[in-house]
Amino acid sequence: MTTSRDFTGKVVLITGSSSGIGAQTAVEFARLGAHVVVTGRRKDRVCAVAKQCAEASPTGVKALEVVADVTNDDDCRRLVADTIKTFKKLDILVNNAAWNMAHSILDGDILDKYELIMNTNLRSVIRLTHLCVEHLAKTKGNIVNISSASAFKPSEPLYSMSKVALDMFTKCVALELSPKGIRANVVNPGVVNTEGLRLGLHVNKEKSDQLLEGLAEMTPLGRVAEPMEVSKAVLYLTSDDASFVTGSNFVADGGIQYV
Ligand code: NDP
């Protein structure tokens, strides 16, 4: 499954690009000619994805590797500073990193989970957007935030809340940044077959296969998505084909109804 867009020379920073949707998106941007910044906390995974980017790139361009925790403000500053130092500009910011494990309002550590989820899924996006605006204004660049189509589920109250807030944050920021020529949009994926999804299910491989089958049955298209199917939405929104699209939600969920 490939796309034909051209991002030659564009500089793209994708958080959470050490696995799953972010990793696939990084490789696709590299394949389409972009200079990619691969980042996450796991150094080995960051290196592995950066290598895949170099292999995919038509000119063998090496991705910039930055090991960083998006919940740490200093790491966020270093991430953006290293990007600008290396490539001298930024065209596209994809805020993709997120944390999600099943949780309940009955959990004794619910407020610790609140801090972790909001810091990872929302505060980091606000921080990085703030740091990147001046650079995106220079390139008339754009932002895509990866949210979720699962608006509400009993096992994920805080995650769902963080994603709904992310949707609204993006809409407001899109309005504010429009005069600077910066677009901002959201992709809302349905169920995507990633390491993160399986980890979040808290069960072994056999059981997670069964759960994924159940989720596939709930999905009108009859299957869960592959990461590439979300990457393609990101590639569209960040391309010139979406030059008049801002403040919008691109739902890529196979038509799933959660309630
Ligand atoms: P993965 O768990 O596979 O990837 C998550 C990425 O986020 C990893 O690269 C991880 O890197 C990074 N990350 C997490 N916490 C931090 C942190 N504190 N600092 C830096 N990086 C961090 O998840 P997916 O690919 O499934 O999810 C990607 C996005 O898609 C998320 O926003 C998720 O909410 C959204 N989504 C996914 C769905 C699905 O079904 N998979 C459905 C709907 C939305 P590392 O561990 O190396 O730090």
Side-chain angles (χ1 to χ4, degrees), residues 99-100 103 117 121 148 150 156-163:
W99 188 92
N100 186 26
H103 51 275
I117 289 177
N121 301 6
S148 175
S150 57
E156 301 179 347
L158 301 176
Y159 175 81
S160 301
M161 182 180 77
S162 74
K163 292 301 191 179

Side-chain angles (χ1 to χ4, degrees), residues 16 18-19 21 41-42 69-70 96 98 147 159 163 190 192 194 196:
S18 56
S19 71
I21 293 166
R41 292 162 301 178
R42 289 168 295 173
D69 182 338
V70 295
N96 165 77
S147 180
Y159 175 81
K163 292 301 191 179
V192 189
T194 64

Side-chain angles (χ1 to χ4, degrees), residues 10-18 22-23 25-27 29-30 34-40 46 49-50 53 61-68 75-76 78-94 128 132:
K10 299 285 184 192
V11 177
V12 187
L13 167 52
I14 306 155
T15 67
S17 38
S18 56
T25 304
V27 172
F29 270 118
H35 298 288
V36 177
V37 184
V38 177
T39 183
V46 169
V49 175
C53 289
V61 170
K62 214 176 162 305
L64 174 64
E65 300 166 30
V66 183
V67 177
D75 280 15
C76 287
R78 180 170 50 80
L79 177 58
V80 176
D82 284 1
T83 302
I84 299 303
K85 193 173 163 204
T86 305
F87 298 120
K88 316 292 179 223
K89 64 166 185 165
L90 177 68
D91 296 283
I92 295 165
L93 170 66
V94 181
L128 284 167
C132 289

